[in-house]
Amino acid sequence: ARGVQAELVANQYDTAAAAYRTARGQATDPAQAAYAEVLLGRALLGAGDPLARDPYRRVLRMPFTVRDEQGIPFALYAARALAGDTAVRGDVVAVLRRARAELLHARSLSLPACYTIADLAADLVADPAVRERCLNLERARTMATDATLLVALRGRDTSWVASDSGRWLASIAPATTTHPSILLAVYVDSLAEAVSGVAGSDLRLVASTDDAVQPIGHGFQGVGVRWSSRDAPAGLHATLTNTLYVTLLAVVLGVVLLGGYLLWRDVQRELRLARLRSQFVSSVSHELKTPLTSIRIFAETLRDRAQLDPKARQEYLETIAHESDRLTRLLQNVLDFSRVERGERTYQLSPQQVPAIVARALGTLRFPLEQQGFTVSYDCDCDFANVRCDSDAVEQAVLNLVANAIKYSGTSRRIDVKVERRADAVAVIVRDCGIGIAPAHQQRLFERFYRAPTADNDVIPGTGLGLTLVHHMAEAHGGSVSVESAVGHGSTFTLCLPVAAPSIASNERLAPASGPLATPS
């Protein structure tokens, strides 16, 4: 907890590293030691220490039995942290091979571990078989606990039942004296490949019900296989029959392939959404843990040290209040995003002075700005007419922009905020001198959950929702938000609100302009 406080709140990486080393020395089991090593590597990386990769290397050598509470081997965390380091690429690839072998030949891994391996494999070796294995494991475990499916299958020894909207066919092999009953599942997309791959040209998939055809099962009514050694028609009749069979087979395979492609596209979309949700849950959990840890530490200090110096007591109380505000802002972002997703986010319009709203937002962030040594330049170049807007929503948007500038300022400690009049709009400009954003990532900054995949972002906490909500608020008010940035030279975000708001009575509510947020491609 002391290490997290020093690293993520005070940006004192050396102090954090010392605390993590102490935690590693006091660890009572390998999992605790591995967790301390991973945090130590992150702190050293933040401090720019050349020995930052050493803790990760030690974790890389740990067996896969050392796992976190989600069942993910700590070695995978180290491999992901070192994936872009060419000096240790061989060690990372070796861990990936070991993980891939365990995934493809064992069933003891948790689903989060499976998808962690799949993400790592996609980055390093582009192996689609790993992600396909994850999907099949997840579906198989779901089917094995599907009470409705199991009830439908009982007592139907040779029947096939469609499951998961026809993507799978399931059946139960009857029990014998030596084996219990077994749940069988066939992935429909691979049906044609499975049939054509058995015994080469010795059998064919045909649409017929005559005696020479062996039926596949009740789920494949009118479809079966015919062995070439069976009695074959001769002459013209045989030629016509074979042509018909080939035509029907081509139609069936075409339908199966088309269905397989549509299924693959749908699965890819679901996988992307699942990965985004997983990253979002992990990020929110981490963001919640940090302020809660700080609040608990300082509250316990105030409780246990009755004779605390008044100056220190005031500092502790301010820290608790700041962390509470930070926690409130995070929860407000999550709640706003939930309402936007459901299309229920509304805005109360009334005449407002934008400079006053910006000044109020900067006052809210005064303590974290002073604590981290930031100098804020606020410039309001002229008087402004009232702008009809939702003051709480605009204030939250400005808070998100300034908080974003704080997180991505790097070693710079200067932020410029300006409010200016532009034709028929009022512009709020937030500029930092931090790490900047590559042009390839700027177009996607306002998508939900999106964070630029860079090494710097791996150690910066965030949920990927702040800019998304700013974009939605701006569009709902008929305005816009834009970004200008260059790597290493900082970023400038401009929020424009029209002076003439949408025509609506002051006591009515403005619904979102574009409904629920679109799914990123």
Side-chain angles (χ1 to χ4, degrees), residues 302 308-318:
L302 291 172
L308 193 64
D309 177 73
K311 183 178 180 181
R313 178 183 295 274
Q314 181 64 27
E315 180 181 352
Y316 290 175
L317 290 174
E318 288 181 353

Side-chain angles (χ1 to χ4, degrees), residues 395-448:
E395 181 179 353
Q396 186 65 34
V398 175
L399 286 171
N400 288 346
L401 292 176
V402 177
N404 195 70
I406 294 174
K407 289 194 294 185
Y408 296 99
S409 284
T411 57
S412 171
R413 285 298 178 265
R414 177 179 178 82
I415 297 175
D416 297 324
V417 181
K418 184 177 181 180
V419 183
E420 64 181 23
R421 180 71 179 266
R422 292 184 177 180
D424 57 350
V426 173
V428 180
I429 304 170
V430 179
R431 179 183 295 110
D432 64 70
C433 304
I435 61 178
I437 308 164
H441 303 305
Q442 293 180 21
Q443 297 300 320
R444 300 189 60 191
L445 283 181
F446 302 104
E447 291 181 4
R448 58 176 180 176

Side-chain angles (χ1 to χ4, degrees), residues 152-430:
L153 290 171
R154 296 297 181 189
R156 302 174 64 185
D157 296 342
T158 60
S159 297
W160 292 87
V161 174
S163 176
D164 194 14
S165 301
R167 298 175 184 175
W168 293 75
L169 291 171
S171 182
I172 290 184
T176 66
T177 56
T178 57
H179 296 87
S181 60
I182 301 173
L183 176 66
L184 306 176
V186 177
Y187 188 38
V188 173
D189 189 35
S190 62
L191 174 61
E193 179 182 353
V195 173
S196 62
V198 176
S201 60
D202 290 337
L203 60 80
R204 290 181 300 161
L205 181 66
V206 296
S208 176
T209 56
D210 60 30
D211 295 338
V213 173
Q214 177 67 37
I216 297 177
H218 295 298
F220 300 96
Q221 289 290 345
V223 180
V225 293
R226 170 178 288 162
W227 297 92
S228 60
S229 58
R230 301 288 179 91
D231 295 334
L236 180 61
H237 176 71
T239 302
L240 295 176
T241 303
N242 289 339
T243 302
L244 177 61
Y245 288 162
V246 170
T247 303
L248 292 176
L249 179 59
V251 171
V252 171
L253 292 180
V255 171
V256 170
L257 290 176
L258 177 61
Y261 167 73
L262 296 176
L263 174 62
W264 173 83
R265 191 173 64 175
D266 186 57
V267 167
Q268 293 301 312
R269 177 178 177 275
E270 291 300 323
L271 286 175
R272 285 195 296 269
L273 287 177
R275 184 167 61 252
L276 288 174
R277 291 190 184 99
S278 176
Q279 293 172 352
F280 170 70
V281 171
S282 176
S283 299
V284 169
S285 300
H286 181 73
E287 289 261 13
L288 290 173
K289 184 185 297 183
T290 301
L292 287 174
T293 300
S294 299
I295 292 173
R296 186 188 67 185
I297 290 174
F298 287 107
E300 290 177 350
T301 302
L302 291 172
R303 180 194 64 191
D304 299 336
R305 298 174 62 180
Q307 303 302 322
L308 193 64
D309 177 73
K311 183 178 180 181
R313 178 183 295 274
Q314 181 64 27
E315 180 181 352
Y316 290 175
L317 290 174
E318 288 181 353
T319 301
I320 292 175
H322 157 61
E323 294 298 329
S324 299
D325 290 341
R326 177 181 171 189
L327 192 60
T328 300
R329 289 196 300 273
L330 174 62
L331 294 176
Q332 186 62 44
N333 277 344
V334 175
L335 292 175
D336 282 347
F337 176 75
S338 177
R339 286 192 288 266
V340 167
E341 282 283 89
R342 298 193 305 267
E344 298 175 357
R345 181 65 168 98
T346 58
Y347 300 92
Q348 297 281 355
L349 296 184
S350 61
Q352 300 289 336
Q353 284 284 335
V354 174
I357 297 175
V358 175
R360 189 162 65 244
L362 292 176
T364 301
L365 293 174
R366 179 187 60 81
F367 181 79
L369 288 167
E370 292 178 352
Q371 187 183 46
Q372 299 183 41
F374 278 92
T375 299
V376 179
S377 171
Y378 176 43
D379 183 15
C380 182
D381 59 4
C382 61
D383 294 333
F384 293 88
N386 288 338
V387 174
R388 298 187 66 238
C389 62
D390 186 314
S391 62
D392 291 337
V394 175
E395 181 179 353
Q396 186 65 34
V398 175
L399 286 171
N400 288 346
L401 292 176
V402 177
N404 195 70
I406 294 174
K407 289 194 294 185
Y408 296 99
S409 284
T411 57
S412 171
R413 285 298 178 265
R414 177 179 178 82
I415 297 175
D416 297 324
V417 181
K418 184 177 181 180
V419 183
E420 64 181 23
R421 180 71 179 266
R422 292 184 177 180
D424 57 350
V426 173
V428 180
I429 304 170
V430 179

